[in-house]
Amino acid sequence: MRQGAQARPKPHGLTVEEAAALPTSGAVAVQALRGKAKARPGQKILIIGASGGNGTFAVQLAAADGLEVTGVCGPGKDDLLRSLGASQIIDYTTQDPTGTSTRYDIILDIAGNRPLNRLRRALTPNGVLIMAGGEDGGAVLGGMERQFRALLLTPFIRQRLRNLLTLVRKDDLLTLTELAENGTLKPVIDRTYPLAEAATALHHLETGHPRGKLILTT
């Protein structure tokens, strides 16, 4: 994901740390749901990676826009996701979120490591799959293998397979400011680290399954 060189005043009602957590991850939610998916009230959405920095924004926005939200997370995060608006929770350590009988209108895969064919089986025939980033990739494509396969497959199927590369634009910042100030989006911060402990923060990000965003302060 990339962030453009844009700056806007801090939204009223947010701390400096909360405001710092808003732009990139908030833009993922806005561009995925309102942009790529064209989400509509009443649709069912599965958000994989729902308790992380991007996912917590996506859950809030989807719920506010009237979608029926199922969040996928690790153990001990049910209360967090329900407080953000998820109506169903799937613990990926005990259940395969793509292995149920439920079919979703939208799947937002932020965790980025499930096979494309399994994600497609969990979609409705005209559903939308949005893949934000990639993990566990090979040396050549660096985690983007699914995205390339999706690009090749999309012209031949009814389902829409979309990749998301986020560039934060002026309009996104204005939208995020409005959503933050009217209470639709509230940044979820797991921990705040001083800049000198950046390595510790990265280790926690990679191994600690944070609840929301990690923030570095100077």
Side-chain angles (χ1 to χ4, degrees), residues 17 21 28 35 59 84 98 119 134 138 151 186:
E17 292 79 11
V28 168
V59 170
L84 299 178
T98 63
L119 292 169
L151 285 173
K186 174 73 171 176

mmCIF file of all heavy atoms in Angstrom, residues 17 21 28 35 59 84 98 119 134 138 151 186:
data_model
loop_
_atom_site.group_PDB
_atom_site.id
_atom_site.type_symbol
_atom_site.label_atom_id
_atom_site.label_comp_id
_atom_site.label_asym_id
_atom_site.label_seq_id
_atom_site.Cartn_x
_atom_site.Cartn_y
_atom_site.Cartn_z
ATOM 1 N N GLU A 17 -2.597 10.481 18.324
ATOM 2 C CA GLU A 17 -2.312 9.085 17.998
ATOM 3 C C GLU A 17 -3.431 8.473 17.169
ATOM 4 O O GLU A 17 -3.173 7.741 16.205
ATOM 5 C CB GLU A 17 -2.101 8.279 19.288
ATOM 6 C CG GLU A 17 -0.851 8.621 20.071
ATOM 7 C CD GLU A 17 -0.994 9.893 20.903
ATOM 8 O OE1 GLU A 17 -2.135 10.405 21.036
ATOM 9 O OE2 GLU A 17 0.038 10.382 21.416
ATOM 10 N N ALA A 21 -3.461 7.067 13.096
ATOM 11 C CA ALA A 21 -3.885 5.722 12.711
ATOM 12 C C ALA A 21 -4.924 5.721 11.607
ATOM 13 O O ALA A 21 -5.198 4.673 11.013
ATOM 14 C CB ALA A 21 -4.456 4.994 13.938
ATOM 15 N N VAL A 28 -8.155 2.057 3.187
ATOM 16 C CA VAL A 28 -8.365 0.670 2.751
ATOM 17 C C VAL A 28 -9.849 0.325 2.846
ATOM 18 O O VAL A 28 -10.440 -0.239 1.914
ATOM 19 C CB VAL A 28 -7.532 -0.305 3.599
ATOM 20 C CG1 VAL A 28 -7.963 -1.753 3.339
ATOM 21 C CG2 VAL A 28 -6.051 -0.154 3.287
ATOM 22 N N GLY A 35 -15.607 1.706 -2.947
ATOM 23 C CA GLY A 35 -15.013 1.794 -4.272
ATOM 24 C C GLY A 35 -15.084 0.481 -5.026
ATOM 25 O O GLY A 35 -15.908 0.308 -5.918
ATOM 26 N N VAL A 59 -14.669 -3.261 9.412
ATOM 27 C CA VAL A 59 -15.833 -3.740 10.147
ATOM 28 C C VAL A 59 -16.751 -2.572 10.488
ATOM 29 O O VAL A 59 -17.982 -2.636 10.289
ATOM 30 C CB VAL A 59 -15.410 -4.480 11.428
ATOM 31 C CG1 VAL A 59 -16.623 -4.765 12.317
ATOM 32 C CG2 VAL A 59 -14.710 -5.793 11.083
ATOM 33 N N LEU A 84 -17.554 -3.258 17.404
ATOM 34 C CA LEU A 84 -17.360 -2.476 16.189
ATOM 35 C C LEU A 84 -18.477 -2.672 15.178
ATOM 36 O O LEU A 84 -18.543 -1.953 14.177
ATOM 37 C CB LEU A 84 -16.022 -2.846 15.539
ATOM 38 C CG LEU A 84 -14.767 -2.589 16.374
ATOM 39 C CD1 LEU A 84 -13.522 -3.057 15.620
ATOM 40 C CD2 LEU A 84 -14.630 -1.124 16.743
ATOM 41 N N THR A 98 -13.933 -20.132 5.116
ATOM 42 C CA THR A 98 -14.437 -20.395 3.769
ATOM 43 C C THR A 98 -15.053 -21.783 3.648
ATOM 44 O O THR A 98 -15.447 -22.184 2.550
ATOM 45 C CB THR A 98 -13.307 -20.250 2.730
ATOM 46 O OG1 THR A 98 -12.298 -21.247 2.983
ATOM 47 C CG2 THR A 98 -12.681 -18.871 2.804
ATOM 48 N N LEU A 119 -11.642 -19.152 -1.485
ATOM 49 C CA LEU A 119 -12.333 -17.874 -1.329
ATOM 50 C C LEU A 119 -13.493 -17.767 -2.312
ATOM 51 O O LEU A 119 -14.584 -17.306 -1.960
ATOM 52 C CB LEU A 119 -11.351 -16.724 -1.546
ATOM 53 C CG LEU A 119 -10.258 -16.563 -0.476
ATOM 54 C CD1 LEU A 119 -9.204 -15.583 -0.947
ATOM 55 C CD2 LEU A 119 -10.861 -16.103 0.845
ATOM 56 N N GLY A 134 -0.670 -9.157 0.164
ATOM 57 C CA GLY A 134 -0.380 -10.573 0.025
ATOM 58 C C GLY A 134 0.627 -11.021 1.050
ATOM 59 O O GLY A 134 1.487 -10.257 1.478
ATOM 60 N N GLY A 138 6.071 -16.385 -2.726
ATOM 61 C CA GLY A 138 7.341 -16.910 -3.160
ATOM 62 C C GLY A 138 8.345 -15.808 -3.438
ATOM 63 O O GLY A 138 8.060 -14.618 -3.328
ATOM 64 N N LEU A 151 -6.417 -11.798 -11.850
ATOM 65 C CA LEU A 151 -6.472 -10.964 -13.049
ATOM 66 C C LEU A 151 -6.700 -11.804 -14.306
ATOM 67 O O LEU A 151 -7.452 -11.418 -15.201
ATOM 68 C CB LEU A 151 -5.175 -10.171 -13.183
ATOM 69 C CG LEU A 151 -4.996 -8.985 -12.233
ATOM 70 C CD1 LEU A 151 -3.590 -8.412 -12.383
ATOM 71 C CD2 LEU A 151 -6.039 -7.905 -12.488
ATOM 72 N N LYS A 186 -13.828 4.966 14.427
ATOM 73 C CA LYS A 186 -13.045 5.261 15.621
ATOM 74 C C LYS A 186 -11.796 4.391 15.576
ATOM 75 O O LYS A 186 -11.883 3.153 15.649
ATOM 76 C CB LYS A 186 -13.859 4.943 16.877
ATOM 77 C CG LYS A 186 -13.087 5.090 18.174
ATOM 78 C CD LYS A 186 -12.833 6.545 18.528
ATOM 79 C CE LYS A 186 -12.246 6.695 19.929
ATOM 80 N NZ LYS A 186 -11.915 8.108 20.251
#
